[in-house]
Amino acid sequence: MHPMLNTAVKAARRAATVINRASFDLDRITISEKNHNDFVTDIDQASEQAIVETLLKAYPDHAILAEESGASKNLNDESENVWIIDPIDGTTNFLHGYPNFCISIALQQKGVITNALVYDPVRNDLFTATKGAGAYLNDKRIRVSSKDRIGKALLASGHGPDPRALAEYLRMYETVASRCHGVRSGGSAALELANVAAGRIDGYFEKGLKVWDIAAGALLVTEAGGIVGEFNGESDYLHKGDIIAAGPKVFGAMVPLLAAFA
């Protein structure tokens, strides 16, 4: 395993200890609402602090871009090493005791995502990838699904907390669901992408995501042999926040269906 990725694993496991301890007494968690139906807890913040402290202890000159604390003071266009962190992707699930959330950590070097980790602390599933070296689940090599047409595919999707986005999502859902085997919504973009990489689901699509939601998961998918792109098939998904991820043939079928929503 790449040394920097190994450090990220240590950071994620330390954060998971914080999360798992809190999950036994959810009623004591302090909750704040950032926006409508968009929550942050003191556990998100404590998990993020554990991750950041571990990474900066090993690499004090690296920059940080994290969901809760934002950008570190040394983050700029010239930053060579940037850690992109979501301490709990799926906070709403976590708050309700619904066991579908994860920790997401990616390393961006000179503008390119080179290392990625998605850790599911409930199932103890550790997804990792290094650019050019493949994707792994608990140290076992993983590949995207080999489904050859969308009619056979089980897909995943979701929508953000903004109620204005719901109407468009329902139109997208109707367009896609009528042509595939089914659509599931798990509530964690990073975990959905990891599941695409592992072949557990055949494709994923969502709009309006943040870079910390998708940076790690996107590398997992591409290193597992899949394709990641915008709704029109272009590659600027990290900045646009609109994403399709799937095996090559299912991806090719999803783009024409979703291009109208780009």
Side-chain angles (χ1 to χ4, degrees):
M1 184 179 292
H2 191 284
M4 290 186 183
L5 186 55
N6 193 48
T7 301
V9 170
K10 293 177 182 177
R13 292 198 184 279
R14 183 179 170 196
T17 300
V18 174
I19 295 167
N20 288 335
R21 187 183 302 124
S23 68
F24 290 110
D25 198 356
L26 293 173
D27 290 339
R28 298 187 64 181
I29 294 174
T30 301
I31 305 168
S32 302
E33 190 170 15
K34 295 188 285 188
N35 296 295
H36 177 74
N37 282 342
D38 187 8
F39 302 99
V40 60
T41 72
D42 57 338
I43 306 306
D44 289 83
Q45 294 164 341
S47 172
E48 184 171 292
Q49 183 178 359
I51 294 167
V52 171
E53 286 178 353
T54 303
L55 295 174
L56 292 185
K57 182 178 180 180
Y59 306 107
D61 296 330
H62 286 195
I64 300 291
L65 178 60
E67 180 177 15
E68 307 308 339
S69 59
S72 59
K73 292 180 180 179
N74 62 336
L75 178 61
N76 55 58
D77 292 340
E78 304 301 318
S79 298
E80 184 170 338
N81 296 287
V82 182
W83 292 97
I84 303 171
I85 302 163
D86 192 337
I88 305 179
D89 186 51
T91 297
T92 299
N93 289 346
F94 171 68
L95 284 173
H96 287 269
Y98 182 66
N100 202 72
F101 51 86
C102 67
I103 297 161
S104 176
I105 305 173
L107 175 62
Q108 180 178 275
Q109 296 181 293
K110 297 181 179 179
V112 177
I113 305 299
T114 59
N115 288 277
L117 170 157
V118 171
Y119 182 50
D120 177 347
V122 176
R123 298 172 182 85
N124 196 29
D125 278 347
L126 177 66
F127 301 84
T128 56
T130 295
K131 188 171 179 61
Y136 295 82
L137 168 56
N138 299 329
D139 296 323
K140 182 179 180 180
R141 188 76 178 261
I142 53 176
R143 298 287 296 177
V144 295
S145 162
S146 60
K147 292 289 191 304
D148 59 358
R149 57 189 180 91
I150 198 167
K152 297 179 180 179
L154 177 65
L155 306 179
S157 186
H159 61 87
D162 188 344
R164 295 171 296 182
L166 183 57
E168 182 179 43
Y169 168 74
L170 291 174
R171 293 196 300 273
M172 288 191 296
Y173 179 91
E174 182 178 13
T175 299
V176 176
S178 62
R179 291 170 172 83
C180 70
H181 200 202
V183 179
R184 302 291 181 260
S185 182
S188 169
L191 201 49
E192 301 286 30
L193 287 165
N195 284 328
V196 171
R200 292 172 171 174
I201 53 177
D202 304 306
Y204 169 70
F205 65 97
E206 189 163 347
K207 293 196 74 173
L209 295 163
K210 302 297 186 183
V211 64
W212 45 75
D213 297 319
I214 57 179
L219 183 63
L220 287 170
V221 172
T222 57
E223 286 299 316
I227 301 176
V228 182
E230 300 171 59
F231 279 25
N232 59 8
E234 298 297 324
S235 60
D236 197 28
Y237 52 87
L238 284 179
H239 298 102
K240 297 289 182 62
D242 301 344
I243 191 169
I244 299 173
K249 292 186 178 180
V250 173
F251 181 90
M254 292 175 71
V255 170
L257 296 178
L258 294 166
F261 300 95

